Every structure is written in C-alpha cells, then in structure tokens.
Amino acid sequence: MARHEQISTTELTKRLLRAEPRALARTLTAIERRSPGVDALLASLHEHTGNAHVVGITGPAGSGKSTLVAALTRELRARNRTVGILAVDPSSHRSGGAILGDRIRMSESSTDPGVYIRSLATRDAVGGLSRAVLDGAALLDAAGKDVVIVETVGAGQAEVDVINVADTVVVVSIPGAGDHVQAMKGGLLEIADVHVVNKSDRPGAQQTAAEIRNAISLSVGDREGGEWDVPVQQTIASTGSGVSDIVHQLDEHLVWMLDHGTRAERARHNATTRIRWAAEELVLHHLRAGVDSFDAAVAEVAGRRTDPVRAARDLLRTLSASLAEP
Amino acid sequence: MARHEQISTTELTKRLLRAEPRALARTLTAIERRSPGVDALLASLHEHTGNAHVVGITGPAGSGKSTLVAALTRELRARNRTVGILAVDPSSHRSGGAILGDRIRMSESSTDPGVYIRSLATRDAVGGLSRAVLDGAALLDAAGKDVVIVETVGAGQAEVDVINVADTVVVVSIPGAGDHVQAMKGGLLEIADVHVVNKSDRPGAQQTAAEIRNAISLSVGDREGGEWDVPVQQTIASTGSGVSDIVHQLDEHLVWMLDHGTRAERARHNATTRIRWAAEELVLHHLRAGVDSFDAAVAEVAGRRTDPVRAARDLLRTLSASLAEP
C-alpha cells in the first residue's frame, strides 16, 4: 500500500512538472480538501518552485477583476509566456453567477495549453483558504507557469492572503469610487505595487487616478524601503486598453524586486509561513493519531478540570518520538 | 521579575473575576495583541468559564445590528442580567464612522456597571481575529456576564467565527433584501438559530420573513438534529419593537440546547479549538525560542535546499524537552 502510494506520488509529480491539466486539477482538489499525502507531494515539488512571477490581483466586487485577468492573460500569451490562474473565492455561494459568467468569458483561453485556470474555494477552518492559495500558487509555479495570477473575489481576509503569496500585488479600482479610495487607506493602499483604475471609459477616471496618486504620496512615508514608484494605470479591460502597460509594470516591479533584495525577502517570508504551517500540520497529525488521549483531553477541558494550555502541553510531550523519519 | 509577573497575574485575575472595567480593557487589548502572558492568564480563568450564554449576532452592513444589540441589551438589563458585548470588526478602517456612531448611541449603557462593551479588532495574521473573539468571549464569561454578545461587523470569515464561539447565532436581515436571502443559502441560513428581520417598519418585511421561512423549510433536511424550530422574528430595533421576543427566543434556545446535549457538544468543539490553538502556540514559542535554527531553516527552505515539512520536522524534534512544566 505504502509502496503503491509512493509510486503514484512519483508519477503524479512527473505529470505535475509537465503541467498536465488533469494532474493539476486533481492536485488542486487535494489542496482544497487538504487530502492526506498532499504535503508529501508539495514537499517533492518544493525544489521546483521559485521561478514563477506570482501576481496577486484584488479589488472590490464589480471592478472587473476577472475581465482584467482575461485581458492580462491575452497580453502575456502574446509574449509567449505561460499563465496559471487561481481565482480565489472565499464565499462562492454569494457571487456564483458573476464568477461563472466571467469564467465563460475566460474560456477562450481554455483551448490554449499555455493557460491553466482554476477556482479555489474551501469551507475549511480558519486559515484553510490562505494555505490553499499558497500551496496552489506553489503548484502552478512548480508546473512551470511563467506567471501565476492569484485573483481574489471578495474582501477582507482574502485580500490579505494575496500579500502572503504574491511577488507583485495589483489593486483594482473603478472611477468615481471615492469611498473605495478612502477605504483603501490603512489597508490595500499600502500593499499595492500597481494600482489599476479599470473601466476608465467611465466619467471620473482621471479624478480617481489622481485621488489614488494623492493618497499614495501622503502615505509614502510609511512604505517599507519607499523606493518603488507605485504606478497608477488606467485601463478598459473589456477592450484591452492600457493592459499591455500593466505587463510592462509587472516586469519592472519584478526587476526592481530582484535589484533590491525584496524578492528574496518575500521568499523568506513565504518559507517562514510554510514551515510554520508544516509544523502545525505535524502537530495536528500527532494529536489526531493519539485520538483517545485527545478526546480525553477535550473532555477534561470542556469540563473545566484542566485548561487548554496544560492539555496541549501534555499531548505534545510525546511528539518527538513520533517525528522519526518516515 | 518572574515572581513579580506571577503576583500581578494573580491580582489581575481577581480583578477580572470581579469584572473591573479597566482590568477587562487591559486584558482585551492583550488578547488583541496576543501579548506574552495572556495564555497563562486565560488558563487561570478557564475554570470560571462556561456560565455565560454566548450569543453571536451577524448580518450584512446596514441591517442595524448595533442598534439591535443596544435594544437587546436594554431588554436584558430590564431582566437584571449582566451583559458583555464584543463588537468584532475585521476591517475597522472601512466603516469606522458607522461603528463610532453606533457606539455613541450605545453609550447610554456606558454608565451602567452591568454592561461592558468593547470593539475587537486585530491586524494580526490569519486566525488572529477568530482567536481573539474566542478568548474575549471566554474572558467576559469568566468575568461573570450572564450574556455575552458577539456582534460581527463585516462579512466572510468574521461570520464564520461567530459559529465557533456562540451558543446561539442570530442572523439579521432587512426587508426587501431578496438577494441577501439568496446569498444566505449555503452559509448564514444554516448557522442561524434565530432569524431577525430588522427595520420591519419598511415595506416588504412580511415577504422577507416569509422568504426566510421558506428557505429554512427547504433546507431543513440539512440541519443537524433538525429539531430546533428556528424562529423568524420581525423587529424595529430603533423603537424596541419585537426585541423582547428575541430575549424569549434566546432563552428557549439555551434551554433546548441543554435538553438536547447541544451545549455540551459546543463546549467540546470549543475545547478542541482551544487545545489546538494552545498546541500551535506552544510550538510557535518553541520555534521562536530557537531563533537561530529557525532562521537557518528558513534560509534552507527559501533556497530550495530542503522542503518545509522536513524543516519543520527537524525543528520540532527538540520540542518535548522544552515542554517541562514551567
């Protein structure tokens, strides 16, 4: 059994490194579900990661992110770059219709073997989605995609997760959304490496771009390093207007990061997160393996006969022995 | 130093058990920041928890949750019950104004020692907010509040967090929000123990209530146990109309849970979550304590010379020795 799984993991790894769509789909489902064995698979892929330019795209509902991603993908394909897209949807039941529509529009790319697109959702516990995003991006990276786009639909935590995974963060706004620009302060404004004002054929595009530039210049003192000159790009994603400029800005940002050590810094941040999650996974596995003692501990804590920290300490004391090489 | 901290923790614990507002405020800030020592403090409070009825209140922005919480608090105080309120705001920079306004309206309660109200926000990593909510609710529980209300402002993860902490989940809707009722399916609809249609002086209140009842009856097959008859209550929080009925329904739900073992089940779920978090905290503490080896591991993983799982396993192998009783 163990031998059989070993073989199929090796074979699956090969297929993933060749970016076979069915292997990718299967593995992304395993990532969403945190299926057993997915950690071993990701571990074996790890040495093949670090080559893709991971681009996070976020912004409010209705800002045309998906159309922008489609247009950006066309521009990247025109430059012969392969593209992997993860559409992250923390609340798929809410906007299922809209996403489906956008995805159908994207389907022009679906016959192109240089493009792989996949929605990512998880109803799992806290942190489940962000971990799936990080793992999914690493998978598409290992599969040799030149650019991995992580598009977040929704707000809040999903936007924050983009920072954890992306080399370059693109924040999308639309004209006349003065409230949005206000709301970005203290949040999206600081994390954006590239600002896009999409739907710039609508009235007020210039003003919104000016407001964003103004907000950036006011907050520039807070920017780490403070050297990357954040562009504010107007686009009309539906016609492709301005989209090639974004490709140019993404390239410039990647080069800037390489020059300034920022990319290595993000790689270390990424590694830190992954080691922490792996450690937590090992600990959880250990706790689950000792299910009887865990259940007993839960009963003790629920009955207020011991506190959670003491219970955890007692459960962990036997961990080291279980960490022998597999 | 250790002795001094020991003394002040004991003293702080005493003050918390007496529900002294300054001690509560200080500890909630420590919970938000995950300050060192907060785990030891919560461990010492654990045996005093489990008495409060923890009520989660969630719903979309503009549904009048804060006004409802204020009205509910008045009703509870009229019954001589003490109330602790945690207003959870995962994105305080967005709706700061609205919250402030609601809070000012709430300030009529601020001179009443039987009411403690506090906003809870954290810019911490994934899971930070939900952990702060669980810890904050446990604190107010230990401080002897009869009812602890956790009000979530915002959407997504914060709503889900309410389930983790609450005995009873109240979902607030408003008339004419047909889209909202649709959107609840597969999410809030299933977690609601009590539905409230607030602002029921607006047109369409009856219809919205009927839509919710219909949606509940369609999904009733999915309800665990399927026995609690979820009420749909119309209210006008600004006048207090219908609010005393909610108090009645909360009481009924608590009794129902006690009768059906559901409350003990939630206590076990809560204990499981807390043990897991405590275990993760112990592991993180261990990893941080060995900062040199952790930094070396990060460099190895970032450089693709080892994978995160192997690095985590190596780092954890020395954990047991560090878990000797403090």
Side-chain angles (χ1 to χ4, degrees):
Chain A
M1 182 66 185
R3 195 184 173 99
H4 172 72
E5 277 182 353
Q6 194 60 38
I7 290 165
S8 77
T9 298
T10 311
E11 178 59 27
L12 185 55
T13 303
K14 267 193 217 164
R15 290 179 189 175
L16 290 170
L17 293 175
R18 288 197 300 259
E20 288 185 16
R22 285 180 60 183
L24 289 174
R26 178 178 159 185
T27 306
L28 283 164
T29 300
I31 285 171
E32 279 181 330
R33 295 181 187 164
R34 302 247 10 101
S35 304
V38 76
D39 276 318
L41 189 62
L42 289 166
S44 74
L45 292 171
H46 182 70
E47 62 179 300
H48 302 283
T49 61
N51 302 308
H53 184 184
V54 181
V55 177
I57 299 191
T58 190
S63 56
K65 285 183 296 295
S66 298
T67 312
L68 185 68
V69 168
L72 195 56
T73 301
R74 273 191 295 275
E75 289 287 342
L76 290 163
R77 292 300 296 140
R79 287 160 177 80
N80 219 21
R81 300 192 206 164
T82 56
V83 182
I85 301 163
L86 290 176
V88 179
D89 185 5
S91 53
S92 55
H93 58 282
R94 303 225 164 161
S95 41
I99 291 166
L100 193 63
D102 287 327
R103 291 308 151 220
I104 289 166
R105 254 171 279 148
M106 270 302 290
S107 67
E108 59 192 274
S109 304
S110 70
T111 52
D112 176 356
V115 177
Y116 181 81
I117 180 162
R118 163 75 182 236
S119 293
L120 209 57
T122 170
R123 293 179 173 248
D124 214 315
V126 175
L129 187 57
S130 47
R131 186 166 184 188
V133 172
L134 199 59
D135 288 344
L139 175 66
L140 295 178
D141 181 351
K145 298 302 176 194
D146 297 320
V147 180
V148 173
I149 298 175
V150 178
E151 174 199 344
T152 66
V153 182
Q157 197 53 54
E159 290 166 351
V160 178
D161 291 342
V162 156
I163 324 167
N164 271 323
V165 68
D167 295 310
T168 305
V169 175
V170 177
V171 174
V172 185
S173 303
I174 48 172
D179 288 352
H180 169 63
V181 175
Q182 280 301 319
M184 280 200 294
K185 287 179 187 171
L188 290 177
L189 195 71
E190 282 76 6
I191 69 164
D193 300 305
V194 174
H195 275 282
V196 172
V197 180
N198 193 29
K199 303 189 181 180
S200 276
D201 47 346
R202 293 193 183 172
Q206 300 279 1
Q207 198 198 323
T208 298
E211 280 172 13
I212 293 171
R213 276 190 200 99
N214 185 44
I216 293 169
S217 71
L218 289 173
S219 76
V220 82
D222 298 322
R223 291 188 72 82
E224 223 168 286
E227 291 176 64
W228 167 248
D229 190 13
V230 178
V232 181
Q233 178 65 43
Q234 296 184 39
T235 60
I236 310 168
S238 55
T239 67
S241 169
V243 177
S244 69
D245 292 314
I246 297 179
V247 174
H248 181 64
Q249 288 151 2
L250 294 178
D251 290 350
E252 278 200 328
H253 185 246
L254 185 61
V255 171
W256 183 89
M257 281 195 297
L258 290 167
D259 286 352
H260 291 75
T262 315
R263 195 160 197 235
E265 206 176 272
R266 295 206 183 188
R268 281 194 299 274
H269 175 72
N270 190 308
T272 303
T273 306
R274 298 183 81 87
I275 294 172
R276 279 180 50 168
W277 279 339
E280 287 169 10
E281 191 83 10
L282 288 168
V283 169
L284 279 182
H285 182 77
H286 172 72
L287 296 181
R288 281 193 199 115
V291 63
D292 289 344
S293 50
F294 189 74
D295 285 351
V298 167
E300 289 295 297
V301 171
R304 270 82 190 175
R305 288 180 295 275
T306 189
D307 67 81
V309 177
R310 183 172 299 268
R313 183 178 284 127
D314 290 344
L315 287 166
L316 286 176
R317 216 169 269 138
T318 55
L319 173 65
S320 298
S322 77
L323 289 174
E325 288 292 317
Chain B
M1 181 66 185
R3 195 187 172 94
H4 173 71
E5 277 181 352
Q6 194 60 38
I7 291 164
S8 77
T9 298
T10 311
E11 179 57 29
L12 184 56
T13 302
K14 268 193 217 165
R15 291 179 188 174
L16 291 170
L17 294 175
R18 287 197 301 259
E20 288 184 15
R22 285 180 62 184
L24 289 174
R26 179 178 158 185
T27 306
L28 283 164
T29 300
I31 284 172
E32 279 181 330
R33 295 182 187 162
R34 299 245 13 97
S35 303
V38 76
D39 276 318
L41 188 62
L42 289 166
S44 74
L45 293 171
H46 181 70
E47 62 179 301
H48 303 283
T49 61
N51 302 308
H53 184 185
V54 182
V55 177
I57 299 192
T58 190
S63 56
K65 286 183 296 296
S66 298
T67 312
L68 186 67
V69 168
L72 196 56
T73 300
R74 271 191 296 274
E75 288 287 343
L76 290 164
R77 291 301 295 141
R79 286 159 177 80
N80 219 19
R81 300 191 207 165
T82 55
V83 183
I85 302 164
L86 291 176
V88 179
D89 185 4
S91 53
S92 55
H93 58 284
R94 303 223 165 163
S95 40
I99 292 167
L100 192 62
D102 288 327
R103 289 312 149 216
I104 289 167
R105 253 171 280 147
M106 269 302 289
S107 66
E108 60 192 272
S109 303
S110 69
T111 52
D112 175 357
V115 177
Y116 182 82
I117 179 164
R118 163 75 182 235
S119 292
L120 209 57
T122 169
R123 295 180 169 248
D124 214 316
V126 175
L129 188 56
S130 47
R131 188 166 183 189
V133 173
L134 199 59
D135 289 343
L139 174 67
L140 295 178
D141 181 350
K145 298 302 175 194
D146 297 318
V147 180
V148 173
I149 298 175
V150 178
E151 173 200 344
T152 65
V153 181
Q157 196 54 53
E159 291 166 351
V160 179
D161 291 342
V162 157
I163 324 167
N164 272 322
V165 69
D167 296 309
T168 305
V169 175
V170 177
V171 174
V172 185
S173 305
I174 46 172
D179 287 352
H180 169 62
V181 176
Q182 280 301 319
M184 280 200 293
K185 287 179 188 170
L188 290 178
L189 195 70
E190 281 76 6
I191 68 164
D193 299 305
V194 174
H195 275 282
V196 172
V197 180
N198 194 28
K199 302 189 180 180
S200 276
D201 47 345
R202 293 192 184 174
Q206 300 279 0
Q207 198 197 323
T208 298
E211 279 171 15
I212 293 171
R213 278 192 198 96
N214 186 44
I216 293 169
S217 71
L218 288 173
S219 77
V220 82
D222 297 321
R223 292 188 71 84
E224 224 169 285
E227 292 176 63
W228 167 248
D229 190 13
V230 178
V232 180
Q233 177 65 43
Q234 295 184 38
T235 59
I236 310 167
S238 55
T239 67
S241 168
V243 177
S244 69
D245 292 314
I246 297 179
V247 174
H248 182 63
Q249 287 150 3
L250 294 178
D251 289 350
E252 278 200 329
H253 185 246
L254 184 61
V255 171
W256 182 88
M257 280 196 297
L258 290 167
D259 286 350
H260 291 74
T262 316
R263 195 159 197 238
E265 205 177 273
R266 294 206 185 188
R268 282 193 298 274
H269 175 72
N270 189 309
T272 303
T273 305
R274 299 183 81 87
I275 295 173
R276 279 180 51 167
W277 279 338
E280 287 169 12
E281 191 83 9
L282 288 168
V283 169
L284 278 182
H285 182 78
H286 172 72
L287 296 182
R288 282 192 199 119
V291 61
D292 288 345
S293 50
F294 188 75
D295 285 351
V298 167
E300 289 295 297
V301 171
R304 271 80 189 174
R305 290 180 294 276
T306 190
D307 66 80
V309 177
R310 183 171 299 269
R313 183 177 285 127
D314 290 345
L315 287 167
L316 286 176
R317 215 168 271 137
T318 55
L319 173 66
S320 297
S322 76
L323 288 174
E325 286 295 314

